[in-house]
Amino acid sequence: MGVRDMRIGDVGVGDVGVGDMHAMKPGRNDVCPCGSGKKYKRCCARPALAAPSKAHEPRPDPTELLALMRTARYGELEARARAMIGRWGDLGILWKLLGVSLWMQGKEAVQALQTAARLSPGDAETHSNLGNVLRAAGRLEEAAASHRRAIAVRPDYAEAHNNLGSVMLDLGQLDEAAGHYRRALALNPDFALAHDNLGIALLGLGKPQEAAVSHGEALRLRPDAADTHVHLAHAQSALGRLPEAAQSYRRALELEPHHAAAHDSLGRVLLEAGLCEQAVASYRRALELDPEAAEAHNNLGNALLELGRAEEAAAHYARAVEINPLFAKAHSNLGSAYRGLWRLDEAEASIRRALALTADCAEMYVNLGTVQRLKGRAADAEASCRRALDINPSSRGALILLPELLADKGLFADAESSYRRALAIDPGAAPAWAGIAGLRKMTREDAAWLAETQRVASSGLKPRDEMLLHYAMGKYFDDLGEYERAFGHYRRANELARICQPPHDRDYLSRSLDRIIDLYGEAWVRRPREQAYASSRPVFIVGMPRSGTSLAEQILASHPAVFGAGELPFWNDTSTHISLALLQGMFRESLLSQAAEAYLRLLLELAPEALRVVDKMPGNFAFLGLMHAALPHARIIHIRRHPIDTCLSIYFHNFHLSHSYANDLGDLAHYYGEYLRIMEHWRAILPAETLLEVPYEDLVEDPQGWSRRMVDFIGLKWDPACIDFHLTSRNVSTFSKWQVRQKINRSSVERWRNYASFVGPLARLIEGPAR
């Protein structure tokens, strides 16, 4: 909850106000100032004109009206005040009481109170009441003027100083607001509301410690004020005292269980403390109480995204921007959710909508750069990152993204220097400590790095940040050959990863592959298609992640006629679209032609001069039948690596949310078995000349021989640059970015034997497919 959104004060006869008054008497055809909506001549003026002379008639006693007001009988008060105004329309007290009755019923009260102020210019309370009504109507400058008139009439009027402070707070003039609150407290030290409001102003001025003291004083005077407990929690949260903040929010909810903003704020603190499931529960309760709260939908999306539930998160972000289309942060967060779902075009579109609303937000440019990097647009990603740093040189997100982009280009020393610059600004930045470990082989000379990483890991981080550090420490000990300690850290990293994402659904995976096998059988895949594109530009490299696909791409991309496009998500989205059409009986051959045309256009945009473009998306192994049907002259290279080496390497890396199988050895064994099953299907039905099987271990043993076979397979002449692939300058954004820039060695072959006592369910993969 932002400072300006906080509830500031109570409304009553004694503390409301602001605004200019119309000092002239209304005309007979003007709208009556009493708020009835009638013309003056047919409302309050009419009884007065019809009434007998009141020259010697005694003035009315307002005692009855005051009694109605004190007992909150505002409807009766309105009726009695109108009746009296009909006879004594020149009495300011009657207009004042009418204005209060209207205000407390949620009716338009400005005109009535303006009339009261005109008739009773020396009544400070009336001016202040008018100021409060004007403030509620958003007429802040007029509100300030009314409160100033109240203070001019009565300089010791503490309530008017408090109310003027609240208007200044709304106007963003926090220093002046604090000054008026302090003046109110000098006049009345036991003014609980002024203490509370002063705390709000102080927090806005970046003084959370002083704010907490003010809220504490307010609670000493009024311990059961739920809003004040909420405001105290805001200050405690700003001080990093999260358990105390949570306790204060909970106390507010004990006093006012239906306080939607308190539930929302409690969720924010719980999320910051890493208690994601509890945060989700708080946000859901806030939305039960206020379903149209865009901020709560956005916050719930944040908690769900932290848990890896990107689909649900996207739904709540989308609802937030539906409620408030100008909610820039929710647009950007929706982009993050789409990125988690690998819907990169939609992600970029959402983030650009956010930037159209808030062009100077560094973190949104970081978000955009991250998506551009995943789309293989390295130059655009770096431009977005540097734009973020122009806006905010201390942007944590940009300071983490920049070294990743430098490392993608092979500038590992520069990347490490960049990470260390980030750490100079934020010594607790877990992604920076973790990033350093991926830039080179760690040695015992990195003991200082280990000590700092251990310190940060034990400092009470969110699960996702702690996870990154355990992956990094696992790599450190693996590089040093201390495999038992390495596996301990890898195991802890994967335990934390499982907290941050939904569980893997083995049955769903098996059913999905069953459907693919049924839809894309031999008859469908091999059906003659006269309109099929004959292009041989596309080269697909597929296989399990961490099986050597990046190495194969680097070898081919070193050829002067080949461009390495990295991992393109095109066929995942296309498969969903075409498979749905097949299931619904709405498939047309033109859908294949459209897909092929769109894909070739994408390759042309990426590399207009290249004879071959390599798409190294390992997971495309699930879509080979569709890809061959759309582009029958494309070539497919399948990299196979020892199953346990492959699965352990996946287990040792922090994979994308879509790899839900990656954090459990049993899930990995099942996934690997399903991968073998679908590859057997393609091997049986694809033409032999379209698919080349490359064993990773053989490629490492005979790099020149297998490199020549791959180059020949894609229809090019041999070029010696392919064997010197480690010298090739290009962007590589996968986990293998460091390895592919080294000469081939056998260190990754049968690496699993170092962890033989830990492989558990992976062992059966040596004997046969896991099902």
Side-chain angles (χ1 to χ4, degrees), residues 375-376 535-542 552-554 556-568 570-571 598-617 620 627 631 633-637 714-716 730:
K375 295 178 79 171
S535 175
S536 57
R537 288 192 84 213
V539 176
F540 298 108
I541 296 179
V542 301
E553 181 193 27
Q554 182 77 353
L556 291 178
S558 299
H559 194 290
V562 178
F563 176 77
E567 299 179 348
L568 302 179
F570 181 92
W571 292 102
Y599 184 70
L600 293 172
R601 187 166 57 247
L602 171 62
L603 300 191
L604 186 63
E605 292 170 359
L606 291 171
E609 305 297 329
L611 292 178
R612 302 287 183 271
V613 179
V614 177
D615 180 349
K616 184 212 77 76
M617 175 63 85
N620 277 344
M627 292 154 60
L631 295 162
H633 294 276
R635 291 295 176 259
I636 302 165
I637 297 175
I714 66 173
L716 297 177
R730 56 181 290 268

Short mmCIF file of all heavy atoms in Angstrom, two decimals, residues 375-376 535-542 552-554 556-568 570-571 598-617 620 627 631 633-637 714-716 730:
data_model
loop_
_atom_site.label_atom_id
_atom_site.label_comp_id
_atom_site.label_asym_id
_atom_site.label_seq_id
_atom_site.Cartn_x
_atom_site.Cartn_y
_atom_site.Cartn_z
N LYS A 375 15.42 -14.76 -26.97
CA LYS A 375 15.02 -14.82 -28.37
C LYS A 375 16.21 -14.77 -29.31
O LYS A 375 16.05 -14.74 -30.53
CB LYS A 375 14.04 -13.68 -28.69
CG LYS A 375 12.73 -13.79 -27.94
CD LYS A 375 11.80 -12.62 -28.23
CE LYS A 375 11.11 -12.78 -29.56
NZ LYS A 375 10.06 -11.76 -29.76
N GLY A 376 17.42 -14.74 -28.76
CA GLY A 376 18.62 -14.75 -29.58
C GLY A 376 19.00 -13.39 -30.13
O GLY A 376 19.87 -13.30 -31.01
N SER A 535 13.11 -25.80 -48.93
CA SER A 535 14.31 -25.17 -48.36
C SER A 535 15.13 -26.16 -47.54
O SER A 535 14.60 -26.95 -46.75
CB SER A 535 13.89 -24.00 -47.46
OG SER A 535 15.02 -23.46 -46.81
N SER A 536 16.44 -26.09 -47.72
CA SER A 536 17.35 -26.89 -46.90
C SER A 536 18.14 -26.01 -45.93
O SER A 536 19.14 -26.45 -45.37
CB SER A 536 18.31 -27.67 -47.81
OG SER A 536 19.02 -26.77 -48.67
N ARG A 537 17.70 -24.76 -45.75
CA ARG A 537 18.39 -23.86 -44.80
C ARG A 537 18.32 -24.35 -43.36
O ARG A 537 19.30 -24.26 -42.63
CB ARG A 537 17.80 -22.44 -44.87
CG ARG A 537 18.14 -21.66 -46.13
CD ARG A 537 17.76 -20.20 -45.96
NE ARG A 537 18.80 -19.46 -45.30
CZ ARG A 537 18.61 -18.42 -44.48
NH1 ARG A 537 17.38 -18.03 -44.21
NH2 ARG A 537 19.62 -17.80 -43.93
N PRO A 538 17.15 -24.86 -42.91
CA PRO A 538 17.08 -25.23 -41.49
C PRO A 538 17.87 -26.49 -41.16
O PRO A 538 17.81 -27.49 -41.88
CB PRO A 538 15.59 -25.46 -41.25
CG PRO A 538 14.89 -24.88 -42.45
CD PRO A 538 15.85 -25.02 -43.58
N VAL A 539 18.60 -26.41 -40.05
CA VAL A 539 19.28 -27.57 -39.48
C VAL A 539 18.85 -27.64 -38.02
O VAL A 539 19.05 -26.69 -37.27
CB VAL A 539 20.81 -27.46 -39.58
CG1 VAL A 539 21.47 -28.65 -38.89
CG2 VAL A 539 21.25 -27.36 -41.03
N PHE A 540 18.26 -28.76 -37.64
CA PHE A 540 17.78 -28.92 -36.27
C PHE A 540 18.73 -29.82 -35.49
O PHE A 540 19.08 -30.91 -35.96
CB PHE A 540 16.39 -29.52 -36.26
CG PHE A 540 15.36 -28.68 -36.96
CD1 PHE A 540 14.84 -29.08 -38.19
CD2 PHE A 540 14.91 -27.50 -36.40
CE1 PHE A 540 13.89 -28.31 -38.84
CE2 PHE A 540 13.97 -26.72 -37.04
CZ PHE A 540 13.46 -27.12 -38.27
N ILE A 541 19.16 -29.36 -34.33
CA ILE A 541 19.94 -30.20 -33.42
C ILE A 541 19.06 -30.47 -32.20
O ILE A 541 18.59 -29.54 -31.55
CB ILE A 541 21.25 -29.51 -32.98
CG1 ILE A 541 22.16 -29.29 -34.20
CG2 ILE A 541 21.96 -30.35 -31.92
CD1 ILE A 541 23.47 -28.60 -33.86
N VAL A 542 18.81 -31.75 -31.92
CA VAL A 542 17.91 -32.13 -30.84
C VAL A 542 18.58 -33.15 -29.95
O VAL A 542 19.63 -33.72 -30.28
CB VAL A 542 16.58 -32.69 -31.40
CG1 VAL A 542 15.89 -31.67 -32.29
CG2 VAL A 542 16.81 -34.00 -32.16
N ALA A 552 27.75 -29.40 -30.61
CA ALA A 552 27.47 -29.65 -32.03
C ALA A 552 27.13 -28.36 -32.75
O ALA A 552 27.58 -28.13 -33.89
CB ALA A 552 26.33 -30.66 -32.16
N GLU A 553 26.34 -27.51 -32.12
CA GLU A 553 26.00 -26.23 -32.75
C GLU A 553 27.25 -25.38 -32.95
O GLU A 553 27.44 -24.75 -34.00
CB GLU A 553 24.99 -25.46 -31.90
CG GLU A 553 24.59 -24.13 -32.53
CD GLU A 553 23.84 -23.21 -31.59
OE1 GLU A 553 24.05 -23.31 -30.37
OE2 GLU A 553 23.07 -22.37 -32.07
N GLN A 554 28.12 -25.33 -31.93
CA GLN A 554 29.33 -24.51 -32.03
C GLN A 554 30.22 -25.00 -33.17
O GLN A 554 30.80 -24.18 -33.91
CB GLN A 554 30.09 -24.55 -30.70
CG GLN A 554 31.34 -23.69 -30.66
CD GLN A 554 31.06 -22.21 -30.48
OE1 GLN A 554 29.92 -21.79 -30.50
NE2 GLN A 554 32.12 -21.43 -30.31
N LEU A 556 29.25 -26.56 -35.97
CA LEU A 556 28.64 -26.21 -37.25
C LEU A 556 28.64 -24.69 -37.46
O LEU A 556 28.87 -24.20 -38.58
CB LEU A 556 27.22 -26.75 -37.33
CG LEU A 556 27.09 -28.27 -37.42
CD1 LEU A 556 25.63 -28.67 -37.44
CD2 LEU A 556 27.81 -28.80 -38.66
N ALA A 557 28.39 -23.93 -36.39
CA ALA A 557 28.34 -22.47 -36.52
C ALA A 557 29.71 -21.88 -36.82
O ALA A 557 29.81 -20.71 -37.22
CB ALA A 557 27.77 -21.85 -35.24
N SER A 558 30.77 -22.65 -36.64
CA SER A 558 32.11 -22.18 -36.99
C SER A 558 32.33 -22.21 -38.50
O SER A 558 33.29 -21.62 -38.99
CB SER A 558 33.17 -23.04 -36.28
OG SER A 558 33.02 -22.94 -34.88
N HIS A 559 31.47 -22.90 -39.22
CA HIS A 559 31.55 -22.93 -40.69
C HIS A 559 31.09 -21.57 -41.22
O HIS A 559 30.07 -21.03 -40.77
CB HIS A 559 30.65 -24.05 -41.23
CG HIS A 559 30.89 -24.38 -42.66
ND1 HIS A 559 30.57 -23.54 -43.71
CD2 HIS A 559 31.43 -25.51 -43.24
CE1 HIS A 559 30.88 -24.09 -44.84
NE2 HIS A 559 31.42 -25.30 -44.60
N PRO A 560 31.81 -20.99 -42.17
CA PRO A 560 31.45 -19.64 -42.65
C PRO A 560 30.07 -19.55 -43.31
O PRO A 560 29.53 -18.45 -43.43
CB PRO A 560 32.56 -19.32 -43.65
CG PRO A 560 33.21 -20.61 -43.97
CD PRO A 560 33.05 -21.48 -42.77
N ALA A 561 29.51 -20.68 -43.72
CA ALA A 561 28.20 -20.65 -44.37
C ALA A 561 27.05 -20.95 -43.41
O ALA A 561 25.90 -21.07 -43.83
CB ALA A 561 28.17 -21.65 -45.53
N VAL A 562 27.37 -21.08 -42.13
CA VAL A 562 26.36 -21.51 -41.14
C VAL A 562 26.19 -20.43 -40.08
O VAL A 562 27.16 -19.84 -39.60
CB VAL A 562 26.76 -22.85 -40.49
CG1 VAL A 562 25.75 -23.25 -39.43
CG2 VAL A 562 26.90 -23.93 -41.54
N PHE A 563 24.94 -20.21 -39.69
CA PHE A 563 24.64 -19.33 -38.56
C PHE A 563 24.02 -20.15 -37.45
O PHE A 563 23.07 -20.92 -37.67
CB PHE A 563 23.67 -18.22 -38.99
CG PHE A 563 23.24 -17.32 -37.85
CD1 PHE A 563 24.08 -16.33 -37.37
CD2 PHE A 563 21.99 -17.47 -37.25
CE1 PHE A 563 23.70 -15.51 -36.32
CE2 PHE A 563 21.60 -16.66 -36.21
CZ PHE A 563 22.45 -15.67 -35.74
N GLY A 564 24.53 -20.00 -36.23
CA GLY A 564 23.95 -20.67 -35.07
C GLY A 564 22.92 -19.76 -34.42
O GLY A 564 23.25 -18.73 -33.85
N ALA A 565 21.66 -20.14 -34.49
CA ALA A 565 20.57 -19.28 -33.99
C ALA A 565 20.26 -19.53 -32.53
O ALA A 565 19.42 -18.84 -31.95
CB ALA A 565 19.31 -19.51 -34.82
N GLY A 566 20.91 -20.52 -31.91
CA GLY A 566 20.58 -20.82 -30.52
C GLY A 566 19.28 -21.59 -30.42
O GLY A 566 18.90 -22.33 -31.34
N GLU A 567 18.59 -21.41 -29.31
CA GLU A 567 17.38 -22.18 -29.03
C GLU A 567 16.14 -21.36 -29.39
O GLU A 567 15.79 -20.40 -28.70
CB GLU A 567 17.35 -22.60 -27.55
CG GLU A 567 18.54 -23.47 -27.17
CD GLU A 567 18.54 -23.88 -25.70
OE1 GLU A 567 17.75 -23.29 -24.93
OE2 GLU A 567 19.32 -24.77 -25.33
N LEU A 568 15.48 -21.74 -30.45
CA LEU A 568 14.29 -21.02 -30.92
C LEU A 568 13.04 -21.78 -30.47
O LEU A 568 12.90 -22.97 -30.74
CB LEU A 568 14.29 -20.91 -32.45
CG LEU A 568 15.53 -20.21 -33.06
CD1 LEU A 568 15.42 -20.20 -34.58
CD2 LEU A 568 15.67 -18.80 -32.52
N PHE A 570 10.07 -21.76 -31.55
CA PHE A 570 9.03 -21.73 -32.58
C PHE A 570 8.19 -23.01 -32.62
O PHE A 570 6.96 -22.96 -32.66
CB PHE A 570 9.68 -21.48 -33.95
CG PHE A 570 8.70 -21.40 -35.09
CD1 PHE A 570 8.19 -20.18 -35.47
CD2 PHE A 570 8.30 -22.54 -35.78
CE1 PHE A 570 7.27 -20.09 -36.53
CE2 PHE A 570 7.40 -22.46 -36.82
CZ PHE A 570 6.89 -21.22 -37.19
N TRP A 571 8.82 -24.16 -32.62
CA TRP A 571 8.08 -25.39 -32.89
C TRP A 571 7.26 -25.86 -31.71
O TRP A 571 6.29 -26.60 -31.87
CB TRP A 571 9.03 -26.48 -33.39
CG TRP A 571 9.55 -26.11 -34.75
CD1 TRP A 571 10.77 -25.59 -35.05
CD2 TRP A 571 8.82 -26.16 -35.98
NE1 TRP A 571 10.86 -25.30 -36.39
CE2 TRP A 571 9.67 -25.65 -37.00
CE3 TRP A 571 7.54 -26.57 -36.33
CZ2 TRP A 571 9.27 -25.55 -38.32
CZ3 TRP A 571 7.14 -26.49 -37.65
CH2 TRP A 571 7.99 -25.97 -38.63
N ALA A 598 6.42 -19.07 -41.99
CA ALA A 598 6.75 -18.21 -40.84
C ALA A 598 8.13 -18.55 -40.28
O ALA A 598 8.90 -17.65 -39.91
CB ALA A 598 5.68 -18.37 -39.77
N TYR A 599 8.45 -19.84 -40.23
CA TYR A 599 9.74 -20.25 -39.69
C TYR A 599 10.88 -19.80 -40.59
O TYR A 599 11.90 -19.26 -40.12
CB TYR A 599 9.77 -21.76 -39.51
CG TYR A 599 11.04 -22.26 -38.85
CD1 TYR A 599 11.28 -22.00 -37.52
CD2 TYR A 599 11.99 -22.98 -39.57
CE1 TYR A 599 12.45 -22.45 -36.89
CE2 TYR A 599 13.14 -23.44 -38.98
CZ TYR A 599 13.37 -23.16 -37.63
OH TYR A 599 14.53 -23.60 -37.02
N LEU A 600 10.73 -19.99 -41.89
CA LEU A 600 11.78 -19.56 -42.82
C LEU A 600 11.96 -18.04 -42.80
O LEU A 600 13.08 -17.54 -42.94
CB LEU A 600 11.45 -20.04 -44.23
CG LEU A 600 11.50 -21.57 -44.43
CD1 LEU A 600 10.97 -21.96 -45.80
CD2 LEU A 600 12.92 -22.10 -44.22
N ARG A 601 10.85 -17.33 -42.61
CA ARG A 601 10.96 -15.87 -42.49
C ARG A 601 11.74 -15.49 -41.24
O ARG A 601 12.56 -14.57 -41.27
CB ARG A 601 9.55 -15.26 -42.47
CG ARG A 601 9.54 -13.75 -42.52
CD ARG A 601 8.15 -13.21 -42.84
NE ARG A 601 7.16 -13.66 -41.89
CZ ARG A 601 6.14 -14.49 -42.18
NH1 ARG A 601 6.01 -14.96 -43.42
NH2 ARG A 601 5.26 -14.86 -41.26
N LEU A 602 11.53 -16.22 -40.16
CA LEU A 602 12.28 -15.98 -38.93
C LEU A 602 13.78 -16.21 -39.16
O LEU A 602 14.61 -15.40 -38.75
CB LEU A 602 11.77 -16.91 -37.83
CG LEU A 602 12.58 -16.95 -36.53
CD1 LEU A 602 12.61 -15.59 -35.85
CD2 LEU A 602 12.02 -18.01 -35.58
N LEU A 603 14.13 -17.31 -39.83
CA LEU A 603 15.54 -17.59 -40.10
C LEU A 603 16.16 -16.52 -40.99
O LEU A 603 17.33 -16.15 -40.81
CB LEU A 603 15.69 -18.97 -40.77
CG LEU A 603 15.18 -20.18 -39.99
CD1 LEU A 603 15.66 -21.47 -40.67
CD2 LEU A 603 15.63 -20.16 -38.53
N LEU A 604 15.37 -16.02 -41.92
CA LEU A 604 15.88 -14.98 -42.82
C LEU A 604 16.17 -13.69 -42.04
O LEU A 604 17.17 -13.01 -42.29
CB LEU A 604 14.85 -14.70 -43.92
CG LEU A 604 15.30 -13.74 -45.03
CD1 LEU A 604 16.49 -14.32 -45.81
CD2 LEU A 604 14.14 -13.44 -45.98
N GLU A 605 15.31 -13.37 -41.08
CA GLU A 605 15.53 -12.18 -40.25
C GLU A 605 16.79 -12.34 -39.40
O GLU A 605 17.55 -11.39 -39.20
CB GLU A 605 14.33 -11.93 -39.35
CG GLU A 605 13.07 -11.51 -40.10
CD GLU A 605 11.84 -11.50 -39.19
OE1 GLU A 605 11.99 -11.83 -37.99
OE2 GLU A 605 10.75 -11.17 -39.68
N LEU A 606 17.03 -13.56 -38.91
CA LEU A 606 18.18 -13.81 -38.05
C LEU A 606 19.49 -13.83 -38.82
O LEU A 606 20.52 -13.37 -38.33
CB LEU A 606 18.00 -15.14 -37.31
CG LEU A 606 16.90 -15.18 -36.25
CD1 LEU A 606 16.69 -16.61 -35.75
CD2 LEU A 606 17.25 -14.26 -35.07
N ALA A 607 19.48 -14.40 -40.02
CA ALA A 607 20.72 -14.58 -40.78
C ALA A 607 20.43 -14.56 -42.27
O ALA A 607 20.34 -15.61 -42.92
CB ALA A 607 21.39 -15.89 -40.39
N PRO A 608 20.27 -13.38 -42.85
CA PRO A 608 19.86 -13.30 -44.26
C PRO A 608 20.87 -13.89 -45.24
O PRO A 608 20.50 -14.29 -46.34
CB PRO A 608 19.66 -11.80 -44.48
CG PRO A 608 20.39 -11.13 -43.38
CD PRO A 608 20.35 -12.06 -42.21
N GLU A 609 22.16 -13.96 -44.86
CA GLU A 609 23.19 -14.41 -45.81
C GLU A 609 23.57 -15.88 -45.64
O GLU A 609 24.23 -16.46 -46.49
CB GLU A 609 24.46 -13.56 -45.64
CG GLU A 609 24.23 -12.05 -45.78
CD GLU A 609 23.73 -11.68 -47.17
OE1 GLU A 609 24.09 -12.38 -48.14
OE2 GLU A 609 22.95 -10.71 -47.28
N ALA A 610 23.18 -16.51 -44.54
CA ALA A 610 23.66 -17.86 -44.25
C ALA A 610 22.98 -18.91 -45.12
O ALA A 610 21.78 -18.86 -45.36
CB ALA A 610 23.41 -18.20 -42.77
N LEU A 611 23.78 -19.89 -45.60
CA LEU A 611 23.20 -21.00 -46.35
C LEU A 611 22.47 -21.97 -45.44
O LEU A 611 21.50 -22.61 -45.85
CB LEU A 611 24.31 -21.75 -47.11
CG LEU A 611 24.99 -21.00 -48.26
CD1 LEU A 611 26.09 -21.87 -48.87
CD2 LEU A 611 23.96 -20.62 -49.32
N ARG A 612 22.95 -22.11 -44.20
CA ARG A 612 22.31 -22.98 -43.23
C ARG A 612 22.16 -22.20 -41.91
O ARG A 612 23.04 -21.44 -41.53
CB ARG A 612 23.13 -24.24 -42.97
CG ARG A 612 23.41 -25.10 -44.19
CD ARG A 612 22.15 -25.84 -44.64
NE ARG A 612 22.44 -26.71 -45.78
CZ ARG A 612 22.38 -26.33 -47.05
NH1 ARG A 612 22.02 -25.09 -47.35
NH2 ARG A 612 22.66 -27.19 -48.01
N VAL A 613 21.04 -22.45 -41.25
CA VAL A 613 20.80 -21.86 -39.93
C VAL A 613 20.50 -22.99 -38.96
O VAL A 613 19.58 -23.80 -39.21
CB VAL A 613 19.63 -20.85 -39.95
CG1 VAL A 613 19.40 -20.28 -38.54
CG2 VAL A 613 19.91 -19.72 -40.93
N VAL A 614 21.27 -23.06 -37.90
CA VAL A 614 21.12 -24.14 -36.92
C VAL A 614 20.19 -23.69 -35.80
O VAL A 614 20.42 -22.67 -35.15
CB VAL A 614 22.49 -24.54 -36.32
CG1 VAL A 614 22.30 -25.61 -35.25
CG2 VAL A 614 23.41 -25.04 -37.42
N ASP A 615 19.14 -24.46 -35.57
CA ASP A 615 18.20 -24.25 -34.46
C ASP A 615 18.48 -25.34 -33.44
O ASP A 615 18.11 -26.50 -33.63
CB ASP A 615 16.77 -24.34 -35.00
CG ASP A 615 15.71 -24.14 -33.92
OD1 ASP A 615 16.04 -24.15 -32.72
OD2 ASP A 615 14.52 -24.00 -34.29
N LYS A 616 19.16 -24.95 -32.35
CA LYS A 616 19.56 -25.93 -31.35
C LYS A 616 18.61 -25.88 -30.15
O LYS A 616 18.95 -25.38 -29.09
CB LYS A 616 20.99 -25.65 -30.89
CG LYS A 616 21.53 -26.68 -29.91
CD LYS A 616 22.50 -26.09 -28.92
CE LYS A 616 21.87 -25.32 -27.83
NZ LYS A 616 21.23 -26.13 -26.77
N MET A 617 17.42 -26.35 -30.36
CA MET A 617 16.46 -26.46 -29.26
C MET A 617 16.34 -27.94 -28.91
O MET A 617 15.69 -28.70 -29.64
CB MET A 617 15.11 -25.88 -29.65
CG MET A 617 14.02 -26.06 -28.60
SD MET A 617 14.41 -25.21 -27.04
CE MET A 617 13.80 -23.57 -27.41
N ASN A 620 13.01 -29.97 -29.08
CA ASN A 620 12.33 -30.20 -30.35
C ASN A 620 12.27 -31.68 -30.72
O ASN A 620 11.60 -32.05 -31.69
CB ASN A 620 13.03 -29.43 -31.49
CG ASN A 620 12.58 -27.98 -31.56
OD1 ASN A 620 11.58 -27.59 -30.98
ND2 ASN A 620 13.36 -27.17 -32.28
N MET A 627 7.86 -31.22 -37.79
CA MET A 627 8.91 -30.42 -38.42
C MET A 627 9.28 -30.99 -39.79
O MET A 627 9.48 -30.26 -40.76
CB MET A 627 10.13 -30.34 -37.49
CG MET A 627 9.84 -29.52 -36.22
SD MET A 627 10.88 -29.98 -34.79
CE MET A 627 12.50 -29.66 -35.40
N LEU A 631 8.88 -29.12 -43.33
CA LEU A 631 10.14 -28.80 -44.02
C LEU A 631 10.88 -30.11 -44.34
O LEU A 631 11.85 -30.47 -43.67
CB LEU A 631 11.00 -27.89 -43.13
CG LEU A 631 10.42 -26.50 -42.86
CD1 LEU A 631 11.09 -25.86 -41.65
CD2 LEU A 631 10.58 -25.61 -44.09
N HIS A 633 13.01 -31.08 -46.41
CA HIS A 633 14.41 -31.06 -46.81
C HIS A 633 15.33 -30.57 -45.68
O HIS A 633 16.55 -30.49 -45.87
CB HIS A 633 14.60 -30.20 -48.06
CG HIS A 633 13.93 -30.77 -49.26
ND1 HIS A 633 14.50 -31.73 -50.06
CD2 HIS A 633 12.69 -30.54 -49.78
CE1 HIS A 633 13.66 -32.05 -51.04
NE2 HIS A 633 12.56 -31.33 -50.89
N ALA A 634 14.75 -30.23 -44.54
CA ALA A 634 15.58 -29.85 -43.39
C ALA A 634 16.30 -31.08 -42.86
O ALA A 634 15.83 -32.22 -43.01
CB ALA A 634 14.71 -29.23 -42.30
N ARG A 635 17.45 -30.87 -42.24
CA ARG A 635 18.23 -31.96 -41.68
C ARG A 635 18.17 -31.91 -40.15
O ARG A 635 18.16 -30.83 -39.55
CB ARG A 635 19.69 -31.89 -42.16
CG ARG A 635 19.82 -32.20 -43.66
CD ARG A 635 19.43 -33.65 -43.92
NE ARG A 635 19.46 -34.00 -45.34
CZ ARG A 635 18.38 -34.08 -46.11
NH1 ARG A 635 17.18 -33.78 -45.60
NH2 ARG A 635 18.48 -34.43 -47.37
N ILE A 636 18.12 -33.11 -39.55
CA ILE A 636 17.99 -33.24 -38.10
C ILE A 636 19.18 -34.01 -37.56
O ILE A 636 19.47 -35.13 -38.02
CB ILE A 636 16.69 -33.99 -37.74
CG1 ILE A 636 15.46 -33.25 -38.31
CG2 ILE A 636 16.56 -34.14 -36.22
CD1 ILE A 636 14.20 -34.11 -38.32
N ILE A 637 19.88 -33.41 -36.61
CA ILE A 637 21.02 -34.07 -35.96
C ILE A 637 20.61 -34.36 -34.52
O ILE A 637 20.23 -33.46 -33.77
CB ILE A 637 22.27 -33.17 -35.99
CG1 ILE A 637 22.71 -32.94 -37.44
CG2 ILE A 637 23.39 -33.80 -35.17
CD1 ILE A 637 23.88 -31.97 -37.58
N ILE A 714 24.73 -31.93 -43.66
CA ILE A 714 23.89 -30.76 -43.94
C ILE A 714 24.18 -30.17 -45.32
O ILE A 714 23.68 -29.09 -45.66
CB ILE A 714 24.06 -29.68 -42.84
CG1 ILE A 714 25.47 -29.09 -42.84
CG2 ILE A 714 23.68 -30.25 -41.49
CD1 ILE A 714 25.62 -27.90 -41.87
N GLY A 715 24.99 -30.87 -46.11
CA GLY A 715 25.16 -30.50 -47.51
C GLY A 715 26.17 -29.42 -47.78
O GLY A 715 26.05 -28.70 -48.77
N LEU A 716 27.20 -29.30 -46.93
CA LEU A 716 28.23 -28.30 -47.13
C LEU A 716 29.59 -28.97 -47.27
O LEU A 716 29.80 -30.11 -46.84
CB LEU A 716 28.26 -27.31 -45.96
CG LEU A 716 27.01 -26.46 -45.74
CD1 LEU A 716 27.18 -25.60 -44.49
CD2 LEU A 716 26.70 -25.59 -46.95
N ARG A 730 31.05 -15.89 -31.19
CA ARG A 730 29.59 -15.81 -31.40
C ARG A 730 28.91 -15.86 -30.04
O ARG A 730 29.52 -16.21 -29.03
CB ARG A 730 29.08 -16.96 -32.29
CG ARG A 730 29.44 -18.33 -31.76
CD ARG A 730 28.94 -19.44 -32.69
NE ARG A 730 27.49 -19.56 -32.67
CZ ARG A 730 26.82 -20.39 -31.85
NH1 ARG A 730 27.48 -21.14 -30.97
NH2 ARG A 730 25.51 -20.47 -31.90
#
